[in-house]
Structure formats: C-alpha cells, structure tokens
Amino acid sequence: MKIMKKPNILLTGTPGVGKTTLGKELAQRTGLTYVNVGDLAQEGQLYDGFDEEYQCPILDEDRVVDELEDRMGDGGMIVDYHGCDFFPERWFNIVFVLRTDNTVLYNRLENRGYSGKKLQDNIQCEIFQTIFEEAMEAYKEEIVHQLPSNDPEDLERNLEQIVQWTEQWMKDNN
Ligand code: DAT
C-alpha cells in the first residue's frame, strides 16, 4: 500500500504568541497531528533537574527527541514548543516563528498569571527576537518564516496560508 507523504511543521516563538491556538486549529483543518512538547514532557516526566530561579522542571531534550523520533519519521506532525535548537534539523520541512507586539503579549501573559521576573523575561525574549534568531541558526533560512500573531485576523490569515502550503507540499511530494 502506498502511504501519502505528509510534511512536518514546527511552530515556535515566545510563550503566549499563540502556538497552541494555531497548532490545534491547523491540525483540525489539515488532518496533521498536533504535538505540544510541553505537555509531552509533562506526561512522560521527560525532565532532568529543576530550575530554582524559574521554579520549573528542566526539559530533558534528548529524551524528548527519542520520544518523538519515530513519529517524526512518519511525517504529518505539527510540533509546538518555545524553543527549537535541540530538535534534529532534518525533522522539519518548514518552521514558523510566531511574533506578537509587546503590549499584546504582556496582557496575554498577565492573563496567564505570569508576573515579576518571569513576565519580564518573556517580554524581553520577544523584544530581542530570541527565538527567531535561534530558528535562523538552527534551520536553513529559507524554511524559516515569521508570522504576526496579534489578533484573530492574523490567526485566520496564518491558518489559511499554512493550510495552502501544506496542500501544495502534498501535491509536490506524492
Ligand atoms: P502559546 O501556545 O504560544 O503559549 P497560546 O496559543 O496559548 O500561546 O495563546 C496565548 C493566549 O493568546 C490565549 O489566550 C489565546 C490568545 N491568542 C492566541 N493567538 C491569538 C490571536 N492571533 N489573536 C488573539 N488572541 C490570540
């Protein structure tokens, strides 16, 4: 039996930019499988130590990669994480870095219950475009795309654009 080839998509960016919102709806519209790396780590306790400063467990990146390797090989995965340089480069056909204006992001993170240093650090991460630069270092520049993610219109435009890209990729590769 011939199996349809499907692309792997990485959604990355600072916490709060809208990766989960976009990723879940994208999975609905494309039939691809959404994976939230934070949830995966939580479920499998894929941690290696505890960060006292941020009061959170430290991701065991190697175990996350081992856990996902077989499924990534099959294709058709939408991966959501606020970091991107520890995934094997070969996993992804395209990388989207979601971007949100500081004031909008500030409100979203406050609503999420972030405050103090955690809130400030995340806002700085977005101002310094830390994740975008990480993505540009880790992947071929031509597969890395920034997407504005400030309002529902941005969300809908991003969805339509990625659905279209996915359909074209499937035509070109099957
Ligand atoms: P992330 O997964 O990047 O942490 P999220 O998907 O949980 O982000 O979104 C954070 C909050 O912002 C959540 O309340 C939904 C909202 N949100 C996401 N994308 C949005 C958009 N394009 N317009 C308005 N609100 C959005």
Side-chain angles (χ1 to χ4, degrees), residues 11-24 34 36 80-82 98-100 104-105 107-109 111-112 114 148-156 158:
L11 302 179
T12 190
T14 307
V17 293
K19 303 179 293 296
T20 306
T21 306
L22 177 67
K24 287 185 172 169
Y34 170 79
N36 185 304
D80 163 353
Y81 194 59
H82 57 262
L98 274 61
R99 302 300 308 272
T100 300
V104 177
L105 185 63
N107 289 328
R108 285 186 197 165
L109 292 177
N111 284 335
R112 191 182 268 187
Y114 285 22
S149 181
N150 295 302
D151 52 38
E153 289 72 34
D154 286 343
L155 174 62
E156 187 54 37
N158 295 337

Side-chain angles (χ1 to χ4, degrees), residues 13 15 75 97 146 156 171:
V97 184
Q146 299 197 74
E156 187 54 37
K171 276 185 201 153

Side-chain angles (χ1 to χ4, degrees), residues 77-108:
M77 303 283 283
I78 300 166
V79 174
D80 163 353
Y81 194 59
H82 57 262
C84 59
D85 61 359
F86 64 91
F87 301 121
E89 186 187 354
R90 63 187 155 75
W91 274 7
F92 297 105
N93 301 101
I94 197 158
V95 176
F96 293 104
V97 184
L98 274 61
R99 302 300 308 272
T100 300
D101 294 343
N102 306 326
T103 49
V104 177
L105 185 63
Y106 192 97
N107 289 328
R108 285 186 197 165

Side-chain angles (χ1 to χ4, degrees), residues 42-97:
Q42 163 77 38
E43 284 155 19
Q45 290 293 298
L46 307 176
Y47 299 129
D48 181 21
F50 191 82
D51 188 320
E52 293 296 338
E53 189 182 1
Y54 291 97
Q55 291 293 302
C56 66
I58 298 166
L59 196 72
D60 187 331
E61 298 175 344
D62 292 341
R63 284 174 67 207
V64 167
V65 170
D66 286 348
E67 183 73 30
L68 284 173
E69 183 73 83
D70 289 349
R71 298 164 78 191
M72 296 305 295
D74 294 340
M77 303 283 283
I78 300 166
V79 174
D80 163 353
Y81 194 59
H82 57 262
C84 59
D85 61 359
F86 64 91
F87 301 121
E89 186 187 354
R90 63 187 155 75
W91 274 7
F92 297 105
N93 301 101
I94 197 158
V95 176
F96 293 104
V97 184

